[in-house]
Amino acid sequence: MNKKRVAVFRKEHFNAAHRLNNPDWSQEKNLEVFGKCNNPNFHGHNYELIVQVTGEVNPATGYVFDMKILSDIIKAEVLDHFDHKNLNLDVEIFKELNPTAENIAVVIYDILREKINENLDLKIKLFETERNYVEYPA
Amino acid sequence: MNKKRVAVFRKEHFNAAHRLNNPDWSQEKNLEVFGKCNNPNFHGHNYELIVQVTGEVNPATGYVFDMKILSDIIKAEVLDHFDHKNLNLDVEIFKELNPTAENIAVVIYDILREKINENLDLKIKLFETERNYVEYPA
Amino acid sequence: MNKKRVAVFRKEHFNAAHRLNNPDWSQEKNLEVFGKCNNPNFHGHNYELIVQVTGEVNPATGYVFDMKILSDIIKAEVLDHFDHKNLNLDVEIFKELNPTAENIAVVIYDILREKINENLDLKIKLFETERNYVEYPA
Amino acid sequence: MNKKRVAVFRKEHFNAAHRLNNPDWSQEKNLEVFGKCNNPNFHGHNYELIVQVTGEVNPATGYVFDMKILSDIIKAEVLDHFDHKNLNLDVEIFKELNPTAENIAVVIYDILREKINENLDLKIKLFETERNYVEYPA
Amino acid sequence: MNKKRVAVFRKEHFNAAHRLNNPDWSQEKNLEVFGKCNNPNFHGHNYELIVQVTGEVNPATGYVFDMKILSDIIKAEVLDHFDHKNLNLDVEIFKELNPTAENIAVVIYDILREKINENLDLKIKLFETERNYVEYPA
Amino acid sequence: MNKKRVAVFRKEHFNAAHRLNNPDWSQEKNLEVFGKCNNPNFHGHNYELIVQVTGEVNPATGYVFDMKILSDIIKAEVLDHFDHKNLNLDVEIFKELNPTAENIAVVIYDILREKINENLDLKIKLFETERNYVEYPA
């Protein structure tokens, strides 16, 4: 039963405000491209975040990765910085990076990649709404 | 089969930013009472809205209320004003009323009550998150 | 702990085709009122059916109603007649009654009311889609 | 906007083992009545618990009841005693009371009723599975 | 942050009637193979359709593909032809192709593949019910 | 339309009790590693099981694999042995193998792999809770 590669998934969520905008563009072009998502006063979402960690099952524990530890890492590294925040104003990296679901997923991946041992693969799925979501790496 | 009273439900959603705050209180008291929800830069939610209309089934149509018409009313009267907005800044009534789920549900009820014939009962259920929701009238 | 009134709910589902139409009306009026639901070749749904039975908890079993027995009754009386059927063509009562969600719920109530002891209250919730559903009695 | 009665709902969950059995009955009768749920070595569920509190909206906060405080009460009074437990063996009251969904809901109601101010109404919804759930009081 | 490959997903739905049947087989063999799904009067489903598009994130927009445009394409090319239809009778290709979930997914893929730039990968997930679904290409 | 490779998915569920424990470790170490999941009296879950079978579409049926047959196999080989059981006490293999979600998924894969023709690929997804789940092979 040892040395089987299994993917484990932990689902978390955070609630945040954001606005899509490209400061290099005119107001008209931003409105044309981003539509309602360009509202200058922001709007918001209940983001559902699924973190996937893939590796071999540890024969002593039967775990690939302790889900309690994974949850604690996600909380400390992501949720404490993103939950109940304005992504554009309160999160440093999004002051210069448009907080689309795609970019948020890549940022979360980069944050968590440093905290998860490199012999484990990592993948991020992020639901902006029930009908719009992204996955990285693809 | 006529004259049976049936409740019909239509589920819609909108994405909005908001902030909980009482301007009569100090910053400290607001933080103490509203916690993370008091973040001055706002946060946001995917609000799920369920509108319940109760009345007799029309024997000619088999409908209590045409769901397409109900959906159009909700869109014109609520979603077009709340979706992809900042409730505190973009919606007139919440400039002076704290946009808690309770207050948003009452406001939506009052808006729709004027558009739905008074021989029909009306009830609003509003999900702020999957784990926190409200119903009015109770 | 005895004699407390509790509501118990059993969720089942069936997949059926239907068409909304009033034979007393012209084709034009039917199309105007029922829109896409009037398609002469039918369309269909995954109906989710929730049967609620309310009564006192039996102190010997801790049950209001055995959910296995409730499920068997729903299967024999409703699902075996509605599942994978064309409601308009295969179910006798809907040859003359428009199979709206409202009417289907009332029909299911009338069927089950005869099979559930009258000291128990009965209520039907029927989801035609995730966004459109009805409840009877209201 | 004051003095409107609104219901607020908080959803929590716990994972527990249980077994349905009436010690006054023979093994045969228990198996006949409770079927697979009578397995002597227990089975288990992810219980979803929804606590509904109904009252007037406080005009200063816009809250009926602070959801964070409600969540803390549920955690301290219910989850800390039920989550990751064997209801029959680890929870005192179920040593003599059959832990059906009906009885668990009544027990949770009685526990929380003492912690929630009596001018607020209380209702418990408990999902044993996605397809079987109960509500008390009915 | 540029040139990262991200998958984006858009969920849509349509309601349709269908019937499974192979005209080369006897009525008995069709009933044996397709069971209830062979009902000559059709049955129906709420189909949930998830379209996955994978490519590089555009640094100017932060998008792989504008979800509004993707939704419009799905609506024009798929939903307008499948929603509230009888797949066997109203959709040309299924007059000769058995409308199983597998075949419907392949057909939707072929339709959308022509409308999505070829430097983007495309995948279709189709839920016939909550418990039966398919993905193409696998 | 022939010879396209499609993945088909069937979702089933079972309710079971379990306990995480490594008999080679002290009670202290088990408690430290497995926390609440080490409760000696067990706890339980509603396990959601998704079985994915991938292969070519049979042109005569339009099926990769008959979902009714797949469901019957899962029932006979997995559910009849796991549902309403105590995994540690009632299922032979888990008397010596820690019943983590990872190990349960691998065991289910090994059971089903023998029953599904080898020209079809097989994958198991197992939800222990809505927030914790695993997939094998990864």
Side-chain angles (χ1 to χ4, degrees):
Chain A
M1 190 64 57
N2 301 351
K3 303 302 178 185
K4 306 284 178 104
R5 280 180 65 82
V6 174
V8 300
F9 303 76
R10 174 68 191 172
K11 185 179 175 188
E12 302 281 353
H13 68 273
F14 58 94
N15 309 317
H18 81 151
R19 177 204 187 192
L20 301 187
N21 191 63
N22 182 336
D24 298 339
W25 291 347
S26 67
Q27 199 174 321
E28 290 68 27
K29 175 146 191 198
N30 271 299
L31 190 59
E32 181 196 326
V33 172
F34 296 119
K36 295 184 299 182
C37 300
N38 186 240
N39 177 25
N41 287 328
F42 311 100
H43 64 285
H45 296 292
N46 303 333
Y47 290 94
E48 295 285 343
L49 167 65
I50 297 174
V51 177
Q52 174 182 351
V53 174
T54 303
E56 293 176 357
V57 179
N58 178 333
T61 59
Y63 283 166
V64 166
F65 199 95
D66 185 317
M67 291 300 231
K68 178 68 174 61
I69 294 173
L70 181 57
S71 176
D72 289 346
I73 292 173
I74 299 169
K75 185 174 185 312
E77 304 298 329
V78 180
L79 305 190
D80 285 354
H81 304 282
F82 288 19
D83 187 34
H84 282 75
K85 301 293 185 191
N86 184 309
L87 297 179
N88 304 63
L89 302 181
D90 297 327
V91 180
E92 200 57 32
I93 195 170
F94 295 118
K95 291 180 180 169
E96 302 196 351
L97 179 69
N98 204 13
T100 58
E102 289 90 330
N103 282 338
I104 301 171
V106 172
V107 165
I108 291 173
Y109 175 88
D110 289 342
I111 291 171
L112 293 179
R113 185 63 282 182
E114 294 186 20
K115 304 293 174 181
I116 306 286
N117 196 305
E118 62 184 15
N119 67 336
L120 296 165
D121 290 332
L122 180 66
K123 189 171 281 198
I124 303 298
K125 187 174 276 191
L126 183 72
F127 286 74
E128 194 173 86
T129 70
E130 197 188 17
R131 298 194 170 276
N132 290 339
Y133 55 100
V134 303
E135 193 172 50
Y136 175 77
Chain B
M1 191 64 57
N2 301 349
K3 301 304 179 185
K4 306 284 178 104
R5 282 179 65 81
V6 174
V8 300
F9 302 76
R10 176 68 191 171
K11 185 179 174 187
E12 301 281 354
H13 68 272
F14 58 94
N15 310 316
H18 80 151
R19 177 206 187 192
L20 300 187
N21 191 63
N22 182 336
D24 298 340
W25 291 346
S26 67
Q27 199 174 320
E28 290 69 27
K29 177 147 190 194
N30 271 298
L31 191 59
E32 181 196 325
V33 171
F34 296 118
K36 295 184 298 183
C37 300
N38 186 239
N39 177 26
N41 287 330
F42 311 101
H43 64 285
H45 296 291
N46 302 334
Y47 290 93
E48 294 286 343
L49 168 64
I50 298 174
V51 176
Q52 175 183 351
V53 174
T54 303
E56 292 176 358
V57 178
N58 179 333
T61 58
Y63 282 167
V64 166
F65 200 96
D66 186 317
M67 292 301 232
K68 178 68 174 62
I69 295 174
L70 181 57
S71 177
D72 289 345
I73 293 173
I74 299 169
K75 185 173 184 314
E77 304 298 330
V78 180
L79 305 190
D80 284 354
H81 304 282
F82 288 20
D83 187 35
H84 282 75
K85 301 293 185 190
N86 183 310
L87 297 180
N88 303 64
L89 301 181
D90 296 329
V91 181
E92 198 59 31
I93 196 170
F94 295 118
K95 291 180 180 170
E96 300 195 351
L97 180 69
N98 204 13
T100 58
E102 289 91 329
N103 281 338
I104 301 171
V106 172
V107 165
I108 292 174
Y109 175 88
D110 289 343
I111 290 170
L112 293 179
R113 185 63 282 183
E114 293 185 20
K115 304 294 173 181
I116 306 285
N117 196 305
E118 61 184 16
N119 67 336
L120 297 166
D121 290 331
L122 181 65
K123 189 172 283 196
I124 303 299
K125 188 174 275 191
L126 183 73
F127 287 74
E128 194 173 87
T129 70
E130 197 188 18
R131 299 195 170 275
N132 289 339
Y133 57 101
V134 303
E135 191 172 51
Y136 175 77
Chain C
M1 189 64 57
N2 302 349
K3 303 303 179 185
K4 306 284 178 102
R5 281 180 65 81
V6 174
V8 300
F9 304 76
R10 176 67 192 172
K11 185 179 173 187
E12 302 281 353
H13 69 273
F14 58 94
N15 309 316
H18 80 150
R19 176 205 188 191
L20 301 187
N21 191 64
N22 182 335
D24 298 340
W25 291 347
S26 67
Q27 200 175 320
E28 291 68 27
K29 177 149 189 193
N30 271 298
L31 190 59
E32 180 196 326
V33 172
F34 296 119
K36 295 184 298 182
C37 299
N38 186 239
N39 177 27
N41 287 329
F42 312 101
H43 64 285
H45 296 292
N46 302 334
Y47 290 94
E48 294 285 342
L49 168 64
I50 297 174
V51 176
Q52 174 183 351
V53 174
T54 304
E56 293 176 356
V57 179
N58 178 332
T61 58
Y63 282 166
V64 166
F65 199 96
D66 185 316
M67 291 300 231
K68 178 69 174 59
I69 294 173
L70 182 56
S71 176
D72 289 346
I73 292 172
I74 299 169
K75 185 173 185 313
E77 304 297 329
V78 180
L79 306 189
D80 285 354
H81 304 282
F82 288 19
D83 187 34
H84 282 75
K85 301 293 185 190
N86 183 310
L87 297 180
N88 303 62
L89 301 181
D90 296 328
V91 180
E92 199 59 31
I93 195 170
F94 295 118
K95 291 180 180 170
E96 302 196 350
L97 181 69
N98 204 14
T100 59
E102 289 90 330
N103 282 339
I104 301 171
V106 173
V107 165
I108 291 173
Y109 175 88
D110 289 344
I111 291 171
L112 293 179
R113 185 63 282 183
E114 293 186 20
K115 303 295 174 180
I116 306 286
N117 195 305
E118 62 184 16
N119 67 335
L120 296 166
D121 291 333
L122 181 66
K123 189 172 282 197
I124 303 299
K125 188 174 277 192
L126 183 72
F127 287 74
E128 195 172 85
T129 70
E130 197 188 19
R131 299 195 170 273
N132 289 340
Y133 55 101
V134 303
E135 192 172 50
Y136 175 76
Chain D
M1 190 64 58
N2 301 350
K3 304 301 181 186
K4 306 283 177 104
R5 281 179 65 81
V6 174
V8 299
F9 303 75
R10 175 68 191 172
K11 185 178 173 187
E12 301 281 353
H13 68 272
F14 58 93
N15 309 316
H18 82 149
R19 177 204 187 192
L20 300 187
N21 191 63
N22 182 336
D24 297 341
W25 291 347
S26 67
Q27 200 174 319
E28 290 69 27
K29 177 150 189 194
N30 270 299
L31 190 59
E32 181 197 325
V33 173
F34 296 118
K36 294 184 299 182
C37 300
N38 186 238
N39 177 26
N41 286 331
F42 312 101
H43 64 285
H45 296 292
N46 302 334
Y47 290 94
E48 294 285 342
L49 168 65
I50 297 174
V51 176
Q52 174 183 351
V53 174
T54 303
E56 293 176 357
V57 179
N58 178 333
T61 58
Y63 282 166
V64 167
F65 200 96
D66 185 316
M67 291 302 231
K68 179 69 173 61
I69 294 173
L70 181 57
S71 177
D72 289 346
I73 292 173
I74 299 169
K75 185 173 185 313
E77 304 297 330
V78 179
L79 305 189
D80 285 354
H81 304 282
F82 288 19
D83 186 35
H84 282 74
K85 301 294 184 188
N86 183 309
L87 297 180
N88 304 63
L89 301 181
D90 296 329
V91 180
E92 199 59 30
I93 196 170
F94 295 118
K95 290 180 180 170
E96 301 196 350
L97 180 69
N98 204 14
T100 58
E102 289 91 328
N103 281 338
I104 300 171
V106 172
V107 164
I108 291 174
Y109 175 88
D110 289 342
I111 291 170
L112 293 179
R113 186 62 282 183
E114 293 186 19
K115 304 294 174 181
I116 306 286
N117 195 304
E118 62 183 16
N119 67 336
L120 297 165
D121 289 331
L122 180 66
K123 189 172 280 197
I124 303 299
K125 188 173 275 192
L126 183 72
F127 287 74
E128 194 172 85
T129 69
E130 198 187 17
R131 297 194 172 276
N132 289 340
Y133 55 101
V134 303
E135 192 172 50
Y136 176 78
Chain E
M1 189 66 59
N2 300 351
K3 303 302 179 186
K4 306 285 179 105
R5 282 179 64 81
V6 174
V8 300
F9 302 76
R10 175 67 191 172
K11 184 179 174 186
E12 302 281 353
H13 69 272
F14 58 94
N15 310 316
H18 81 151
R19 177 205 187 191
L20 300 187
N21 191 63
N22 182 336
D24 297 339
W25 291 348
S26 67
Q27 199 174 321
E28 290 69 27
K29 177 148 190 196
N30 271 299
L31 191 59
E32 182 196 325
V33 171
F34 296 119
K36 295 184 297 181
C37 299
N38 185 240
N39 178 27
N41 287 328
F42 311 101
H43 64 285
H45 295 291
N46 302 334
Y47 290 93
E48 294 286 342
L49 168 64
I50 297 174
V51 177
Q52 174 183 350
V53 175
T54 303
E56 292 176 357
V57 179
N58 178 333
T61 58
Y63 283 166
V64 167
F65 199 95
D66 185 317
M67 291 300 230
K68 178 68 174 62
I69 294 173
L70 181 57
S71 176
D72 289 346
I73 293 173
I74 300 169
K75 185 173 184 314
E77 303 298 329
V78 180
L79 304 190
D80 285 354
H81 304 282
F82 288 18
D83 187 34
H84 282 75
K85 301 293 187 192
N86 183 309
L87 298 180
N88 304 62
L89 302 181
D90 296 328
V91 180
E92 199 59 31
I93 196 169
F94 296 117
K95 290 180 181 170
E96 300 196 352
L97 179 69
N98 204 13
T100 58
E102 289 91 331
N103 282 338
I104 301 171
V106 172
V107 165
I108 291 174
Y109 176 87
D110 289 343
I111 291 171
L112 293 179
R113 184 63 283 182
E114 294 185 20
K115 303 294 174 180
I116 306 285
N117 195 305
E118 62 184 15
N119 67 337
L120 297 165
D121 290 332
L122 180 66
K123 188 172 282 198
I124 303 299
K125 188 174 276 192
L126 183 72
F127 286 74
E128 194 173 85
T129 70
E130 197 188 18
R131 298 193 170 275
N132 289 340
Y133 55 101
V134 303
E135 193 172 49
Y136 176 78
Chain F
M1 190 65 58
N2 301 350
K3 303 300 179 187
K4 306 283 178 107
R5 281 179 65 81
V6 174
V8 300
F9 302 76
R10 174 68 191 172
K11 184 179 175 188
E12 302 281 352
H13 69 273
F14 58 94
N15 309 315
H18 80 151
R19 178 205 186 190
L20 301 187
N21 191 63
N22 181 336
D24 297 340
W25 291 348
S26 68
Q27 199 174 321
E28 290 68 28
K29 176 147 190 197
N30 271 298
L31 191 58
E32 182 196 325
V33 171
F34 295 118
K36 294 184 298 182
C37 299
N38 186 240
N39 177 27
N41 287 329
F42 312 100
H43 63 286
H45 296 291
N46 302 333
Y47 290 93
E48 294 286 342
L49 168 65
I50 298 173
V51 177
Q52 175 183 350
V53 175
T54 303
E56 293 176 357
V57 179
N58 179 331
T61 59
Y63 283 166
V64 166
F65 200 95
D66 186 316
M67 291 301 229
K68 178 69 173 62
I69 294 173
L70 181 57
S71 177
D72 288 346
I73 293 173
I74 300 169
K75 186 174 183 312
E77 304 298 329
V78 180
L79 304 189
D80 284 354
H81 304 282
F82 288 19
D83 186 34
H84 282 75
K85 300 294 185 190
N86 183 310
L87 298 179
N88 304 63
L89 301 182
D90 296 327
V91 180
E92 199 59 30
I93 196 170
F94 296 119
K95 290 180 180 171
E96 300 197 352
L97 179 69
N98 204 14
T100 58
E102 289 91 330
N103 281 339
I104 300 172
V106 172
V107 164
I108 291 173
Y109 175 88
D110 290 342
I111 290 171
L112 293 179
R113 186 61 284 182
E114 294 186 19
K115 304 293 173 182
I116 307 286
N117 195 305
E118 62 184 15
N119 66 336
L120 297 166
D121 290 331
L122 180 66
K123 189 172 281 198
I124 302 299
K125 188 174 275 193
L126 183 72
F127 286 74
E128 194 172 86
T129 70
E130 197 188 17
R131 298 194 171 275
N132 289 339
Y133 55 101
V134 303
E135 193 173 50
Y136 175 77

